[in-house]
Amino acid sequence: MWFIFAIITAIAWGAANLFYKKGSNVEEKYTHLKIVIMVGFVMGIHATAYMLIKDITFDPFDMVRYFPVSFMYILSMTIGYIGLRYIELSIAAPVQNSAGAVSAILLFIFFPREMSMIDIAGIIIVTIGVITLAVYEKQAETYALKRQNEMIDPKYQLSFLAITFPILYALIDGIGTFLDGVYLDELTLIPEDNALIAYEYTFFIVAVLAFIYVRFIKKEKYSLFKEKDRGTAAILETTGQFFYVFAIAGNAIIAAPLIAAHGIFSVILSRIFLKEVLSTRQYVMIGVVMFGIILLGLSEGLAE
């Protein structure tokens, strides 16, 4: 089942990326914090409902125990939200999603295990695909701007500042996923349900602090009920998080790069809803990544 959970996670997070972009306003100084607020509040609501429906006894100390993982995820996501102000047209998503390769490598180094040739091929293909697509995305965007005879805005250039945010996201999120694999799969330090609730409540606390800062310290106008795009992104993010925990608990070293392919879904969705056109080579790379996903699914089927 971990494979199905990983696919659902990838699709949900891919769709969330679309709405994150729509909800990111380069003119708004605190856009990233407003996204954090919305995501945190939705996660807090979900954590409470999940705990009550499943009748889970939650120990608040689990938030402390799981904090290293929660901290890495929340930090990487916040950095990712900031980056959306500088890189558009789905460039950020594929770069960020190379985090799966970081976590897979770390897990393989610290917790070596036998992997079939299909597993290795699938991980390599998915990783190469998302990175290559990122390069193609940047090239396509630069070419489009030049054809319009416009001076290329610095925020569109592959500058140190522009590319730093998604790279930082990939590294920090990769470490977070590695720690998650240790907590949920390798050493089983905390049950999946408790990990999910601990993370979502931690995010909720961060959201409350961010809300106080934005609304009362910086005096920014903010209404949860008027945040349509950010609210949709938050719901999709939380949906993905729900299935993500169980995917990682099932097979962390392979699920991580598989889930990382959610950038591919965000690229496809952005083209559909923003009416943009993919080049032939972009379609080819998406096909390559999909092939890698199929290999990983095939590997699970053979293992079972």
Side-chain angles (χ1 to χ4, degrees):
M1 288 296 292
W2 68 264
F3 179 75
I4 296 176
F5 293 152
I7 291 296
I8 294 175
T9 300
I11 294 174
W13 283 353
N17 280 340
L18 176 67
F19 288 96
Y20 282 141
K21 291 170 190 175
K22 292 181 67 176
S24 294
N25 185 353
V26 71
E27 303 297 330
E28 252 185 297
K29 187 176 181 180
Y30 301 106
T31 289
H32 59 292
L33 292 181
K34 291 180 179 180
I35 296 176
V36 167
I37 292 169
M38 181 58 71
V39 173
F41 273 102
V42 171
M43 285 194 174
I45 294 171
H46 176 264
T48 302
Y50 186 74
M51 182 173 59
L52 294 175
I53 292 173
K54 295 202 66 174
D55 193 24
I56 298 171
T57 301
F58 180 69
D59 181 2
F61 186 74
D62 282 340
M63 295 173 65
V64 177
R65 183 180 296 112
Y66 197 64
F67 182 75
V69 183
S70 299
F71 174 76
M72 288 296 178
Y73 283 151
I74 295 172
L75 176 61
S76 66
M77 290 174 68
T78 304
I79 290 174
Y81 300 150
I82 297 174
L84 289 176
R85 300 173 61 188
Y86 298 96
I87 299 181
E88 299 178 2
L89 296 177
S90 303
I91 297 174
V95 176
Q96 290 173 349
N97 298 149
S98 60
V102 175
S103 58
I105 291 171
L106 288 173
L107 285 166
F108 188 75
I109 292 173
F110 289 97
F111 299 94
R113 65 173 65 174
E114 286 190 20
M115 296 177 65
S116 70
M117 289 304 297
I118 296 180
D119 287 337
I120 296 173
I123 291 174
I124 292 174
I125 288 172
V126 170
T127 302
I128 291 177
V130 295
I131 293 175
T132 304
L133 183 60
V135 175
Y136 288 168
E137 282 289 296
K138 180 57 189 176
Q139 292 174 348
E141 184 179 14
T142 302
Y143 177 73
L145 289 173
K146 286 181 177 179
R147 284 198 54 159
Q148 294 173 11
N149 295 319
E150 297 179 3
M151 180 179 293
I152 301 177
D153 192 292
K155 74 175 182 178
Y156 290 116
Q157 296 178 4
L158 199 60
S159 63
F160 177 78
L161 176 63
I163 200 63
T164 292
F165 291 111
I167 289 177
L168 282 176
Y169 173 96
L171 292 175
I172 297 172
D173 187 73
I175 295 172
T177 305
F178 162 70
L179 292 175
D180 224 357
V182 175
Y183 271 72
L184 300 177
D185 188 16
E186 302 295 344
L187 301 182
T188 317
L189 300 177
I190 184 174
E192 295 97 318
D193 288 336
N194 296 63
L196 176 65
I197 296 172
Y199 168 68
E200 292 189 334
Y201 273 144
T202 301
F203 212 132
F204 174 74
I205 292 173
V206 172
V208 171
L209 295 176
F211 179 79
I212 293 173
Y213 177 77
V214 171
R215 184 67 183 85
F216 299 106
I217 297 179
K218 293 301 181 179
K219 309 295 183 181
E220 288 274 326
K221 293 182 179 181
Y222 186 83
S223 174
L224 288 172
F225 301 103
K226 294 181 179 180
E227 299 289 327
K228 182 179 178 182
D229 289 331
R230 293 166 186 161
T232 302
I235 292 173
L236 290 167
E237 180 71 40
T238 305
T239 300
Q241 183 61 38
F242 173 79
F243 289 102
Y244 165 83
V245 170
F246 299 103
I248 290 295
N251 195 332
I253 196 169
I254 300 179
L258 178 57
I259 292 172
H262 75 261
I264 302 302
F265 294 106
S266 68
V267 171
I268 295 173
L269 290 172
S270 67
R271 294 306 189 267
I272 294 174
F273 290 100
L274 299 179
K275 307 301 181 183
E276 296 172 345
V277 180
L278 285 170
S279 67
T280 301
R281 61 182 185 174
Q282 287 172 320
Y283 279 116
V284 170
M285 291 317 303
I286 288 176
V288 168
V289 173
M290 293 303 178
F291 177 67
I293 292 174
I294 292 172
L295 284 181
L296 292 174
L298 177 62
S299 174
E300 185 205 15
L302 294 175
E304 294 177 351

